[in-house]
Amino acid sequence: MEGINVAVNKTIRRIGVLTGGGDCPGLNAVIRAVVKTAIREYRLTVVGFENGFGGLIQNRARDLTEKDVVGILPRGGTILGTTNRDNPFHYPMIINGQKVFKDVSDRVVENINIHNIDAMIIIGGDGSLSIGKELFEEKGLPVVGVPKTIDNDLSATDQTFGFDTALNTATEAIDKLHTTAESHHRIIVLEVMGRYAGWIALEAGLAGGADVILIPEIPFSMENVIKKITDRQEQGKKFSIVVVAEGAKPVGGEMVVQRRVEDSFDPVRLGGIGNVVSYQIEEETGMESRTTVLGHLQRGGTPTAFDRILATRYGTGAVNLVMAGKFGEMVCLRTPNIESVPLADAVGEQRLVPVDGDLIRAAKQIGISFGD
Amino acid sequence: MEGINVAVNKTIRRIGVLTGGGDCPGLNAVIRAVVKTAIREYRLTVVGFENGFGGLIQNRARDLTEKDVVGILPRGGTILGTTNRDNPFHYPMIINGQKVFKDVSDRVVENINIHNIDAMIIIGGDGSLSIGKELFEEKGLPVVGVPKTIDNDLSATDQTFGFDTALNTATEAIDKLHTTAESHHRIIVLEVMGRYAGWIALEAGLAGGADVILIPEIPFSMENVIKKITDRQEQGKKFSIVVVAEGAKPVGGEMVVQRRVEDSFDPVRLGGIGNVVSYQIEEETGMESRTTVLGHLQRGGTPTAFDRILATRYGTGAVNLVMAGKFGEMVCLRTPNIESVPLADAVGEQRLVPVDGDLIRAAKQIGISFGD
Amino acid sequence: MEGINVAVNKTIRRIGVLTGGGDCPGLNAVIRAVVKTAIREYRLTVVGFENGFGGLIQNRARDLTEKDVVGILPRGGTILGTTNRDNPFHYPMIINGQKVFKDVSDRVVENINIHNIDAMIIIGGDGSLSIGKELFEEKGLPVVGVPKTIDNDLSATDQTFGFDTALNTATEAIDKLHTTAESHHRIIVLEVMGRYAGWIALEAGLAGGADVILIPEIPFSMENVIKKITDRQEQGKKFSIVVVAEGAKPVGGEMVVQRRVEDSFDPVRLGGIGNVVSYQIEEETGMESRTTVLGHLQRGGTPTAFDRILATRYGTGAVNLVMAGKFGEMVCLRTPNIESVPLADAVGEQRLVPVDGDLIRAAKQIGISFGD
Amino acid sequence: MEGINVAVNKTIRRIGVLTGGGDCPGLNAVIRAVVKTAIREYRLTVVGFENGFGGLIQNRARDLTEKDVVGILPRGGTILGTTNRDNPFHYPMIINGQKVFKDVSDRVVENINIHNIDAMIIIGGDGSLSIGKELFEEKGLPVVGVPKTIDNDLSATDQTFGFDTALNTATEAIDKLHTTAESHHRIIVLEVMGRYAGWIALEAGLAGGADVILIPEIPFSMENVIKKITDRQEQGKKFSIVVVAEGAKPVGGEMVVQRRVEDSFDPVRLGGIGNVVSYQIEEETGMESRTTVLGHLQRGGTPTAFDRILATRYGTGAVNLVMAGKFGEMVCLRTPNIESVPLADAVGEQRLVPVDGDLIRAAKQIGISFGD
């Protein structure tokens, strides 16, 4: 209830920070808050490692002062660089011309000692936080985590920063496609991110006024999708907006899709699920259908106010965790407070869209089809 | 916990809806969800009253079909019109050339009967919901409420729709002013809405990277504001961003301000508190200071994704409340669910910024001054 | 020089209007200006035909009053609907089970007479304006044209409306992709519209800070593209932004591309040219490359101020042309004035990017590569 | 026709650059293009002077490399700082406790020699360019100018950068205010920049769908403004949008206004002309009227695509001018080319809105009132 209880730990003098995993709006806001809180509130010094765990392994680091974080609050990306690769417990190397994976976690420990780092703040998604957990549990490193994912699928926090920005980017895209769909009497299929969880598709679909939303949590049948579109046509609504999460799947997996597109097309050739769905709609309704794949647009841009604030509070909260000696934990949002949770409880637990939840029910009540 | 429990009430056939109080992004999204849910889920008919309670009193109403709500989801404003006036219990009339206030609530009852309305959904702020409560309690009208305010200061719900949009508008303004402040080495004062609660100022200030935030909940002293600005100057930061809620007040009320501007200026003449603060900064630091007053810009524009979703869920939830026979209640957000609360418990309870809360603490830890 | 000279033609009482071709931001602004100018300035009545020439052929029309155009100025799309099909001189019909093309232009004449239309305003791209020209020349219809294309490739006017909006949409996309490219050390390829003319790619590339721009007017070699990217890498710039017009082609047509992707990929399978370029960059540099295809996003959204103003002036100018009896002409922009030009001179003349022009030279001077 | 003819001047090795006058979106884009063109195309070195002419006088300068201009293209403001003060021919000093103005232009010459600068690029408005002209004519400095003003009121160029961004900011503001005006049946008055020229007010008013536009070039009468508003009311349009340039004046100067507000208000007290107009509308129509003053918001924000491109071309063109030895000239836009014009012909010539021009005529034809 009371947020993170700070009992200042006198032995902390110098902390490290890195950003790992996919790009996400708000990373810079976290870094800024870490640096400002560390310096202003606790008189610490801060070291930034470059390009995720790669920097920890290869000892690419630089001191971060307040000057380094001036003006970065509204900027997407991360001044530290990031990457999805470079797991220190499973690090790719070329030995005798062959690619092998080695445990180089001792190098991490070594580099942290070289820099006299008393605590390490790891900003990342499930993958980076799992590595953080392992460094804490196996190597005894004083690690604190900050959860990050535009997919909003971490179970241990009410929301992750980056999601609200991605959601607004996707919603704006629907707004733009809407007028074209209406003017042209077309079907527009928008494929958004979400490999396992359909949060972006569901919420952007709700916010943008989609007619059909397809998410990984609810296997769909093309028959139902087609029916929704033709029902609308019969009511005089000559266009439809279909929002598809990249991980959405038809009932029974990919098979139905493969059968339908047999001779001349296959899913690989057509690209992602958005193109497959679009192709089948054209085939079966005779209406024109167009696909837009947002892709990395969803990871960029200036963060929304919500994401900047959440990221700032996370950054401040992470330094407070460090000073309270709560290692092996990560900050999380329990609305309206910032609290903490053990990394061991947080990683590996995906937060999926509850199929019988409030949101899905509301969406169905206003007539949105999920193809089920 | 489980959202609104719907036990369909068979006697409901026709519902009314109105929007009251100040304009707020998301009103149209609520109306759309009410109409869609009523028609698609429950086969009801819907009557919209125009211009808040004025329409209920003067019987200006029209049927709302799905066609009426096509395309309104992304639009600011309200297709029903709204007004802050026209309280049926205290209605202004000119009698014998004199303005008097009358109780015309019986007209409201009459008009609701004329239209065969089985339940009335009132979308409004504290004022409109208080009238709704009175109509329910005094006149026995089957009223259900939907809370609305860009100020986010209603205690009975985690958040009101409209706030997120206003917050992003204010944040974007700070972003724009920031570059100018930096290039010109100026002080920029931004006055935002918030007569009693400082949510917009606090959160926009955090999101926009303000140096000073003045809110009604924390009386400020100009000495502290000036000190923050001159401290920054001494550190080589030649500009500062000051965000002021319109209701912010110096310690001891207005007095300090009046004394300082004595001879040639007074607060009325200078406009709002933003201008007063700006004037005094110039006087005491010799730096140039400029003021922007956002005003009604904060009430307009296309709603953010968050506000559209919350508004949609509120609209759907309100119809569900009606069908469950839960009159005298209003929908509210208990993250992540939509629930309900008696109007009697909800109105008249302002949710102020907790002075010792997480948000203020985080803001102070990164060096923001509140002038206290 | 003096804009359109209006010598009011007393016999005009009723005008028709249609929108043809692809969707384009600003169509509604033209319609609004046509209706307002016709009614307010000249006391005419206005008939809108639905879905391009389809409405003229099938007699789907409705009167347009000032009320119909309220609030449409900022909206994308067209309230009249549009389509790329339905050429009255080459109209697809099913006769005896076979698809044949017929000349049904007499139906157009008939429907125009049925509605007592004294002049017809056709808002469209090169295709629709060519039909307009033919209706004027072959059938003697009093036609006036308004040029429209997001591609900005009409020779007879300094600029077409819709282009500025599409350009800003593409530029915003580059802004968002930029931060991700930088943070991840990636190549980002953005495919934009432009089948024959590279205006969107060139100007968005300039505005967004692209490193490589590929346009139809300048055949590119992958060697040069790769060289630019690896040169940047050697200078420590670990990311690059490549903007590709959909119609860009390698030197010698598609061949180079086909050879390189031989066994396992071919352009069809990979989708558009953006994916082909991206694939080859990955293959030859070993760097990660990601593609975003903006697609119809470029046709939607609220028009920019420039497009709204140009569209409004075109709409007003078209009615002035009608009243001046200048049939067979279209409005055009000769900065800063609205003038007119015979359709016969305007259609079929594409305005391509001048390869030795100012813009390309400036782009090269700041180091942008065109792959030539 | 052919743009700037470059005949490379072998003696140029090092150039200086400064930004003077009010902030303007696109300044950074010019600086970036100057640096990139100088270094990549001509192998020059570049020195940036800080805070306008102040830096030239006080010798505050730093070398600018390509690294310094990374990422600044989309950013508002200027990395060099700017100021409206510090005219070297009329420089304020405190001597014997008294403020006096001195000619310190020799210091400028001295500092330029100290830095071995072969040519100086001055980016500024009419004021800064006049100083540039004087330095060229009186002191023989090799000066080249780049015109800048959000007001778009320089006569020697088709358009200045910054204007398109300010215009879109003002248009977006009208869009937001529109929905509120409509929902509340209110008058909304928006005061925009434009002390002498009404370009922003005129074009934003056209783009935003204003009902009344008041600009300095057309003295207005309140009677006409009121009539327009009440005419609209009688037609059932219960709201109106009034856009006022800060420099707009009633017929006969301020007098009419002063008379009307006699006892209790005067223009100074009410703030700018926007508040005065708003107050009088309320007084005479009995309708609620609200004012928003955009202020410095119009000088900030990320530049539009148009402004970024124009600024980039200006920056490149200015270096080309230097290399061609065309000192005492400034770059200008003669659509679609960048050309040059002597500073002597360019400064002191304001480009006002032509009262009988195309734009005003189009605005009047769709029913906009200018109060005349």
Side-chain angles (χ1 to χ4, degrees), chain A residues 187 222 226 229 242 277-286:
Chain A
I187 312 304
M222 276 309 295
I226 301 294
I229 290 168
V242 181
V277 166
S278 179
Y279 173 74
Q280 292 200 254
I281 291 171
E282 281 209 347
E283 280 296 284
E284 308 209 7
T285 65

Side-chain angles (χ1 to χ4, degrees), chain C residues 104-370:
Chain C
V104 298
S105 54
D106 285 340
R107 281 205 220 159
V108 168
V109 179
E110 210 177 302
N111 286 327
I112 280 187
N113 288 333
I114 285 172
H115 286 284
N116 278 317
I117 285 167
D118 302 312
M120 189 71 213
I121 294 173
I122 290 167
I123 311 165
D126 200 63
S128 302
L129 295 177
S130 296
I131 295 170
K133 188 195 94 165
E134 223 170 326
L135 288 172
F136 170 70
E137 289 176 353
E138 309 291 321
K139 298 289 164 180
L141 287 189
V143 164
V144 155
V146 175
K148 171 234 70 156
T149 150
I150 63 161
D151 291 335
N152 205 25
D153 60 354
L154 285 180
S155 65
T157 182
D158 281 0
Q159 193 157 332
T160 51
F161 67 88
F163 171 69
D164 190 57
T165 305
L167 169 59
N168 276 287
T169 295
T171 301
E172 251 177 66
I174 302 177
D175 283 355
K176 290 192 179 177
L177 295 168
H178 224 127
T179 53
T180 288
E182 245 180 288
S183 302
H184 275 298
H185 310 315
R186 270 183 183 157
I187 311 304
I188 297 272
V189 178
L190 178 72
E191 185 184 306
V192 298
M193 284 187 167
R195 204 154 302 183
Y196 308 107
W199 292 107
I200 293 179
L202 171 58
E203 300 209 8
L206 266 166
D211 304 297
V212 178
I213 299 175
L214 306 178
I215 59 174
E217 291 87 344
I218 305 179
F220 64 91
S221 93
M222 275 310 295
E223 279 75 13
N224 295 337
V225 174
I226 301 294
K227 187 172 182 322
K228 173 71 187 176
I229 289 168
T230 49
D231 281 359
R232 278 176 58 80
Q233 242 182 327
E234 278 160 27
Q235 293 158 27
K237 292 165 189 163
K238 295 172 180 160
F239 71 96
S240 290
I241 305 283
V242 181
V243 178
V244 193
E246 59 183 329
K249 286 204 173 61
V251 177
E254 315 265 351
M255 279 172 305
V256 180
V257 180
Q258 283 170 335
R259 186 179 52 71
R260 285 183 179 281
V261 295
E262 42 184 347
D263 287 308
S264 42
F265 289 89
D266 64 275
V268 176
R269 188 178 274 197
L270 279 163
I273 185 70
N275 282 314
V276 174
V277 167
S278 179
Y279 172 74
Q280 292 199 255
I281 292 171
E282 280 210 348
E283 282 295 285
E284 309 208 7
T285 65
M287 296 175 73
E288 279 182 34
S289 180
R290 293 285 180 278
T291 315
T292 289
V293 180
L294 275 191
H296 278 64
L297 275 180
Q298 292 161 92
R299 296 195 173 281
T302 187
T304 58
F306 180 93
D307 279 339
R308 295 188 197 179
I309 294 166
L310 183 57
T312 297
R313 296 173 77 189
Y314 275 173
T316 296
V319 181
N320 289 340
L321 269 191
V322 164
M323 298 313 285
K326 295 197 170 184
F327 301 115
E329 304 213 351
M330 76 170 205
V331 288
C332 63
L333 176 68
R334 304 271 189 238
T335 306
N337 291 319
I338 299 300
E339 305 192 351
S340 71
V341 63
L343 282 168
D345 299 350
V347 301
E349 284 289 316
Q350 239 163 1
R351 197 171 69 92
L352 300 182
V353 173
V355 172
D356 300 320
D358 239 37
L359 261 178
I360 296 282
R361 197 170 6 154
K364 288 186 173 176
Q365 286 194 313
I366 58 169
I368 293 173
S369 164
F370 290 86

Side-chain angles (χ1 to χ4, degrees), chain B residues 12-223:
Chain B
I12 305 287
R13 292 218 178 74
R14 190 161 166 78
I15 61 174
V17 60
L18 67 80
T19 51
D23 194 17
C24 182
L27 287 170
N28 278 328
V30 181
I31 296 169
R32 173 180 175 267
V34 164
V35 169
K36 288 199 158 214
T37 307
I39 293 175
R40 293 188 171 224
E41 181 81 6
Y42 298 116
R43 310 287 150 193
L44 311 177
T45 54
V46 185
V47 185
F49 288 88
E50 288 170 10
N51 305 327
F53 289 102
L56 258 183
I57 295 166
Q58 297 149 32
N59 195 17
R60 288 194 312 271
R62 64 179 194 269
D63 274 30
L64 293 177
T65 66
E66 281 206 66
K67 216 173 162 183
D68 293 305
V69 298
V70 166
I72 69 172
L73 177 60
R75 283 189 218 147
T78 157
I79 56 167
L80 290 176
T82 185
T83 176
N84 306 56
R85 295 161 305 186
D86 298 345
N87 180 344
F89 294 99
H90 194 71
Y91 191 66
M93 305 178 105
I94 306 295
I95 295 180
N96 297 331
Q98 270 206 301
K99 191 177 191 180
V100 294
F101 290 92
K102 287 275 187 181
D103 179 343
V104 299
S105 54
D106 284 338
R107 281 206 219 158
V108 168
V109 178
E110 209 177 305
N111 286 327
I112 280 187
N113 287 333
I114 285 171
H115 286 284
N116 277 318
I117 284 166
D118 302 312
M120 190 70 211
I121 293 174
I122 290 166
I123 310 166
D126 200 64
S128 302
L129 295 177
S130 296
I131 296 170
K133 188 195 95 165
E134 221 169 327
L135 288 172
F136 171 70
E137 288 177 354
E138 310 290 322
K139 298 289 163 179
L141 287 188
V143 164
V144 154
V146 175
K148 171 233 69 157
T149 151
I150 63 161
D151 291 335
N152 205 25
D153 60 353
L154 284 180
S155 65
T157 182
D158 280 1
Q159 194 157 333
T160 51
F161 67 88
F163 171 68
D164 191 57
T165 305
L167 169 59
N168 277 286
T169 296
T171 301
E172 252 177 64
I174 301 178
D175 283 355
K176 290 192 179 176
L177 296 169
H178 223 128
T179 53
T180 289
E182 246 180 288
S183 302
H184 274 298
H185 309 318
R186 268 182 184 158
I187 312 304
I188 297 272
V189 177
L190 178 71
E191 184 183 305
V192 299
M193 284 189 168
R195 202 152 305 182
Y196 308 107
W199 292 108
I200 294 179
L202 171 58
E203 300 209 8
L206 266 166
D211 304 298
V212 177
I213 300 174
L214 305 178
I215 59 175
E217 291 89 343
I218 305 180
F220 64 92
S221 93
M222 275 311 293
E223 279 75 13

Side-chain angles (χ1 to χ4, degrees), chain A residues 117-253:
Chain A
I117 286 168
D118 301 312
M120 189 71 211
I121 293 175
I122 290 167
I123 311 167
D126 200 62
S128 302
L129 295 178
S130 296
I131 296 169
K133 188 195 95 165
E134 223 169 326
L135 288 172
F136 171 70
E137 289 176 356
E138 310 290 322
K139 299 289 162 181
L141 287 188
V143 164
V144 155
V146 175
K148 170 234 71 158
T149 151
I150 64 161
D151 291 335
N152 205 25
D153 60 353
L154 285 180
S155 64
T157 181
D158 281 1
Q159 194 156 332
T160 50
F161 67 88
F163 172 69
D164 191 56
T165 306
L167 170 59
N168 276 287
T169 296
T171 300
E172 253 178 63
I174 302 178
D175 283 356
K176 290 192 179 175
L177 295 168
H178 223 128
T179 52
T180 288
E182 246 181 288
S183 302
H184 274 298
H185 309 317
R186 269 182 183 159
I187 312 304
I188 297 271
V189 177
L190 177 72
E191 186 183 303
V192 297
M193 284 188 168
R195 204 154 303 182
Y196 307 107
W199 292 108
I200 293 178
L202 171 58
E203 298 209 10
L206 266 166
D211 304 298
V212 177
I213 299 173
L214 306 178
I215 59 175
E217 292 88 343
I218 304 180
F220 65 90
S221 94
M222 276 309 295
E223 280 76 13
N224 294 338
V225 173
I226 301 294
K227 188 173 181 321
K228 173 70 187 176
I229 290 168
T230 49
D231 280 359
R232 278 176 57 83
Q233 243 182 325
E234 278 159 30
Q235 293 157 29
K237 291 164 190 163
K238 292 170 182 165
F239 71 96
S240 291
I241 305 283
V242 181
V243 178
V244 194
E246 59 183 330
K249 287 203 173 63
V251 177

Side-chain angles (χ1 to χ4, degrees), chain D residues 266-313:
Chain D
D266 65 276
V268 177
R269 187 178 274 199
L270 280 162
I273 185 70
N275 282 314
V276 174
V277 167
S278 179
Y279 172 76
Q280 291 200 255
I281 292 171
E282 280 209 349
E283 281 294 286
E284 308 210 7
T285 65
M287 296 175 73
E288 279 182 33
S289 181
R290 293 285 179 277
T291 315
T292 289
V293 180
L294 275 190
H296 278 63
L297 275 180
Q298 292 160 94
R299 295 195 174 280
T302 186
T304 59
F306 181 93
D307 279 340
R308 295 188 197 179
I309 294 166
L310 184 57
T312 297
R313 297 173 77 189

Side-chain angles (χ1 to χ4, degrees), chain A residues 251-263:
Chain A
V251 177
E254 315 264 353
M255 280 172 302
V256 181
V257 180
Q258 285 171 333
R259 187 180 51 71
R260 287 184 178 281
V261 294
E262 40 185 346
D263 287 309

Side-chain angles (χ1 to χ4, degrees), chain A residues 25-41:
Chain A
L27 287 170
N28 278 328
V30 182
I31 297 168
R32 173 179 175 269
V34 164
V35 169
K36 288 198 157 215
T37 307
I39 293 174
R40 294 189 170 225
E41 181 80 7

